[in-house]
Amino acid sequence: MPPAHPFDFDAVNSDGDKLKEECGIFGAVGVTDAANFVALGLHALQHRGQEAGGIVTYDPDEGFNSARRFGYVRDNFTSQTLMKTLPGALSIGHVRYSTAGSKGAAIRDVQPFFGEFSMGGAAIAHNGNITNADALRRELIERGSIFQSSSDSECIIHLMARSLQRNIPERMEDALRRVEGAFSVVAMTRTKLIGVRDPLGVRPLVLGKIGDGWCLASETCALDIIGAEYVREIEPGEMVVITAEDGVQSHRPFRPQPSKFCIFEHVYFSRPDSIIGGQSVYETRRQIGVELARENPVEADLVCPVPDSGTPAAIGFAHESGIPFGMGIIRNQYMGRTFIEPTEHIRNMGVRLKLNVNRALIKGKRVILVDDSVVRGTTSRKIKEMILDAGAAEVHFRIASPPTAWPCFYGVDTPQREKLLAATMSEEEMCQHLGVDSLKFISLDGLYRAVGEAEGRDKSCPQYCDACFSGEYPVEPADMIKKGFQMKAAE
């Protein structure tokens, strides 16, 4: 498969030093040319997946139609010619970064997936990861199912096909009861838009109103782009079935469980202009910076964010510490596409292609760099070198999340545990490895306080999924355990 762009930074600097943002899903019903709304919604969710995207529509005269493409939404779903092939008032879409299945996968791995059942067709798009997908896939193949992709999400379609329930929503309920892990799903039939969240609510899903129609989205920022009114979050374990005629009908197909929403959505994954649980993501990240400054003060002359994800936390850190805030690092906003061919010389430039130091601001100063996380540490080392090359007197890292010491199995592309810096080094060893004057992370309790839990983390029953920091997995990763993954020993 040729690259989606002549030159892409992630292909050049593919050192896995940032956690990749799972996937984004969007659906609309009861609106003219629903695919146009879905394309706009997916554009707003592009940060959640840049590898590929797809849209499925239904029109009474044309039936089901679909388009799946590699690359960005802006490059693939703006053609009037293409959009005319996606008619109808009902549509769902998906943007993808592969977390299960092969990397650089074929077009058959791009969602939404479609299936034809005895009672009509249905399409589904899934954000998350099925932790028992290997076992389900093996069972389904042994019983005659023929898979078309390497994606774990396809298991849902096959489970629906084998269900004996009367209609597609009931078949989906039946299928999802067999699924373990994390899932937010949007699906469609000829008349219905369906949204489901797993019983723990690990991955996000929100409901919006657009004119006489309705929409579902991974984040509220996708509602804003189409002028939709935010109605509410889909609750953990809830299924909504929406039609243009009857509106929203809610079902509770799963046994109630304590919510375990992914806390890293607050730290990094969600866009800062989104709302989570009634809270501004931007304000939460600013408060993370406040807590970080309280826990880990240091004498310095400048607080500088690592753009763009570190900016709100750096603003909070600067305000709380009284140290001036400055944009000491400038991001090249046009890095996603360029005519420059990725020669070996260009590849060796690495992070400098994406970020540049504001030398006039940095020179001679003791600099605090605020970033959202440290994964492998390779990018952090390069940024430190750039800051020192610009004449900084000292470099101090302050990280707006606890050390990432455990892989995620719920829809986030995480390196193997032995490749996570915090899994093999203490904080002091990481500081020496990065070659900085100091390195400090926010505590897990501090992070919980920043997201609104005044008493910090409830150790007996954590309020969020924080497995990437704590090693405490709310759903046992069955497939990975069979492959030899060692869970954290009980304390």
Side-chain angles (χ1 to χ4, degrees):
M1 179 195 71
H5 303 290
F7 178 75
D8 186 84
F9 175 78
D10 287 333
V12 173
N13 194 37
S14 56
D15 55 14
D17 211 25
K18 285 288 181 185
L19 303 184
K20 295 295 192 299
E21 305 99 322
E22 335 109 4
C23 304
I25 52 179
F26 193 93
V29 63
V31 293
T32 304
D33 295 325
N36 288 317
F37 288 94
V38 171
L40 286 168
L42 294 180
H43 177 72
L45 297 172
Q46 190 77 84
H47 60 288
R48 302 186 73 89
Q50 298 91 47
E51 185 179 89
I55 296 176
V56 174
T57 62
Y58 180 79
D59 177 77
D61 297 325
E62 300 287 338
F64 286 95
N65 287 281
S66 67
R68 296 184 287 177
R69 300 287 189 275
F70 288 109
Y72 295 153
V73 174
R74 72 182 183 211
D75 297 327
N76 289 318
F77 295 100
T78 56
S79 162
Q80 290 186 5
T81 302
L82 174 63
M83 298 311 284
K84 284 179 180 178
T85 68
L86 298 170
L90 177 54
S91 177
I92 64 170
H94 185 272
V95 286
R96 174 182 194 262
Y97 186 91
S98 56
T99 57
S102 59
K103 304 298 178 186
I107 197 70
R108 65 179 180 268
D109 289 310
V110 180
Q111 299 184 43
F113 291 132
F114 178 80
E116 196 72 60
F117 304 98
S118 59
M119 67 286 295
I124 67 164
H126 166 222
N127 169 213
N129 202 49
I130 299 172
T131 57
N132 64 334
D134 288 352
L136 289 174
R137 191 183 187 96
R138 187 164 52 251
E139 173 192 325
L140 287 163
I141 289 173
E142 288 173 354
R143 294 185 178 185
S145 294
I146 300 174
F147 279 74
Q148 301 296 314
S149 77
S150 64
S151 172
D152 63 327
S153 307
E154 193 182 349
C155 289
I156 301 171
I157 284 281
H158 289 284
L159 289 168
M160 290 170 63
R162 301 192 68 85
S163 172
L164 300 178
Q165 296 302 316
R166 296 171 300 168
N167 57 49
I168 287 173
E170 289 178 353
R171 286 188 174 211
M172 181 171 289
E173 288 184 19
D174 202 23
L176 292 175
R177 288 192 186 101
R178 301 260 346 255
V179 165
E180 298 173 5
F183 55 84
S184 282
V185 172
V186 294
M188 59 180 283
T189 68
R190 289 172 294 186
T191 59
K192 298 178 175 68
L193 175 65
I194 303 167
V196 195
R197 282 181 79 190
D198 68 77
L200 299 178
V202 177
R203 305 260 69 90
L205 191 63
V206 298
L207 174 68
K209 189 80 169 69
I210 176 70
D212 295 329
W214 299 87
C215 50
L216 294 165
S218 292
E219 294 182 40
T220 62
C221 65
L223 306 181
D224 297 336
I225 198 172
I226 63 169
E229 174 192 355
Y230 169 64
V231 177
R232 64 177 178 87
E233 293 184 351
I234 304 304
E235 296 295 323
E238 181 183 14
M239 170 185 278
V240 292
V241 180
I242 311 171
T243 62
E245 297 78 18
D246 300 326
V248 181
Q249 297 181 350
S250 175
H251 307 272
R252 298 282 181 168
F254 309 108
R255 178 175 58 84
Q257 298 183 50
S259 174
K260 291 290 186 292
F261 183 68
C262 171
I263 201 166
F264 213 74
E265 290 279 354
H266 287 286
V267 175
Y268 177 68
F269 292 140
S270 293
R271 258 177 46 169
D273 50 333
S274 285
I275 304 294
I276 295 177
Q279 299 173 241
S280 158
V281 174
Y282 175 89
E283 181 55 32
T284 297
R285 290 178 187 167
R286 193 194 68 81
Q287 191 60 36
I288 290 173
V290 170
E291 291 288 340
L292 187 57
R294 290 172 180 169
E295 290 185 348
N296 300 295
V298 61
E299 291 187 7
D301 306 305
L302 183 71
V303 177
C304 170
V306 176
D308 292 313
S309 54
T311 302
I315 291 170
F317 192 105
H319 183 268
E320 179 67 18
S321 65
I323 300 170
F325 171 90
M327 294 300 295
I329 301 174
I330 306 301
R331 181 187 178 97
N332 179 359
Q333 299 295 340
Y334 302 98
M335 193 56 233
R337 192 174 191 180
T338 178
F339 62 88
I340 301 173
E341 290 296 325
T343 63
E344 188 63 28
H345 176 68
I346 295 295
R347 291 179 193 277
N348 289 337
M349 289 182 184
V351 74
R352 294 178 187 270
L353 290 167
K354 190 175 184 180
L355 304 172
N356 192 44
V357 176
N358 186 347
R359 291 175 174 269
L361 189 63
I362 292 291
K363 188 174 181 180
K365 293 194 173 69
R366 299 168 296 174
V367 179
I368 300 171
L369 293 176
V370 180
D371 204 355
D372 61 90
S373 60
V374 173
V375 181
R376 298 184 190 221
T378 49
T379 300
S380 299
R381 291 183 72 176
K382 293 171 185 175
I383 291 172
K384 177 266 301 184
E385 290 167 3
M386 291 167 60
I387 295 292
L388 289 176
D389 288 347
E394 296 176 5
V395 179
H396 303 270
F397 263 109
R398 293 296 180 267
I399 309 302
S401 62
T404 304
W406 295 86
C408 175
F409 301 117
Y410 306 134
V412 180
D413 189 52
T414 317
Q416 295 176 341
R417 184 158 193 255
E418 59 269 21
K419 295 180 180 179
L420 295 169
L421 206 63
T424 58
M425 296 184 185
S426 67
E427 189 174 278
E428 181 57 35
E429 288 170 335
M430 282 189 280
C431 181
Q432 294 176 8
H433 175 76
L434 297 179
V436 293
D437 292 279
S438 71
L439 168 70
K440 295 293 181 181
F441 298 79
I442 192 171
S443 69
L444 201 47
D445 278 334
L447 179 56
Y448 270 76
R449 287 192 295 270
V451 299
E453 302 292 341
E455 301 302 319
R457 182 178 188 264
D458 183 346
K459 293 179 177 57
S460 62
C461 185
Q463 304 93 315
Y464 290 85
C465 176
D466 55 28
C468 54
F469 307 132
S470 67
E472 298 176 17
Y473 293 93
V475 179
E476 186 176 272
D479 288 343
M480 296 306 299
I481 289 173
K482 288 180 181 177
K483 293 177 181 178
F485 175 74
Q486 298 293 317
M487 295 275 284
K488 182 180 179 181
E491 295 180 355

